[in-house]
Amino acid sequence: METITVARLLKPFALRGEIHAISLTEFPKDRFKKGRTFYAVKDGMAPIPLTLKSVRGQGDAYLFSFEEIHSIEEAETLKGADLNMNKDEASLPDGYFRYADLIGCKAYDEEGNLLGEVLSVTEFAPTKNLKIKRADNGKPFYVPFIEAFVKTIDVEAKRIEIHVVEGML
């Protein structure tokens, strides 16, 4: 089973095992549904299946409770864990894609010349950027992840078309 990360568990709240979390998804209302199974993943431990009992927004974060967690001590063991879910249960609307699906895509300019391969999607203020390893010398360059520069994305073909401006490469 392939999973995706949808939240990061932060710290326990109160005595009954609730835990603060920060959403890592653009679709929290679709992902955080009561009764859904998630997996807490943290270095050095096997994934822990968790069933969402309740969720409520709290500012920029969320407060989760899980059927399997009943105390602040149990919640403390989850601090810092990623909350993953089955990728098959995390459908996307048409025209949307996951950043992880961009890794390994070949980047081309508007004339069809290979520029390189996407290494990651980085978050620099004020926008996200594609980090691309150049095809000619292996050095990375960055492309702002906005429509002015990223013209087309075909995840199936692993191809991205970039509008190159002077000084970008």
Side-chain angles (χ1 to χ4, degrees), residues 95 97 102 105-112 115 118 130 132 143-164:
F97 47 84
L102 300 179
C105 284
K106 301 293 183 192
Y108 296 86
D109 65 16
E110 292 170 299
E111 286 78 43
L115 300 174
V118 176
L130 296 177
I132 300 173
V143 175
F145 195 41
I146 56 176
E147 285 183 41
F149 296 105
V150 180
K151 294 301 183 181
T152 61
I153 298 173
D154 185 343
V155 174
E156 297 295 320
K158 300 295 274 179
R159 181 183 176 94
I160 297 175
E161 185 178 294
I162 306 290
H163 173 68
V164 178

Side-chain angles (χ1 to χ4, degrees), residues 82-110:
D82 286 338
L83 194 64
N84 294 354
M85 68 180 287
N86 185 336
K87 186 176 179 179
D88 294 337
E89 295 176 7
S91 62
L92 293 172
D94 288 339
Y96 285 80
F97 47 84
R98 293 180 179 84
Y99 293 145
D101 293 338
L102 300 179
I103 309 302
C105 284
K106 301 293 183 192
Y108 296 86
D109 65 16
E110 292 170 299

Side-chain angles (χ1 to χ4, degrees), residues 35-85:
R36 177 165 273 160
T37 300
F38 294 92
Y39 302 90
V41 178
K42 190 173 173 181
D43 289 337
M45 62 185 220
I48 300 169
L50 299 169
T51 308
L52 190 60
K53 183 176 178 181
S54 70
V55 59
R56 66 180 189 262
Q58 194 172 48
D60 292 339
Y62 288 85
L63 197 57
F64 293 144
S65 68
F66 298 102
E67 298 287 344
E68 298 81 2
I69 305 299
H70 307 287
S71 70
I72 192 169
E73 292 81 15
E74 290 175 325
E76 185 68 37
T77 66
L78 300 176
K79 185 177 177 180
D82 286 338
L83 194 64
N84 294 354
M85 68 180 287

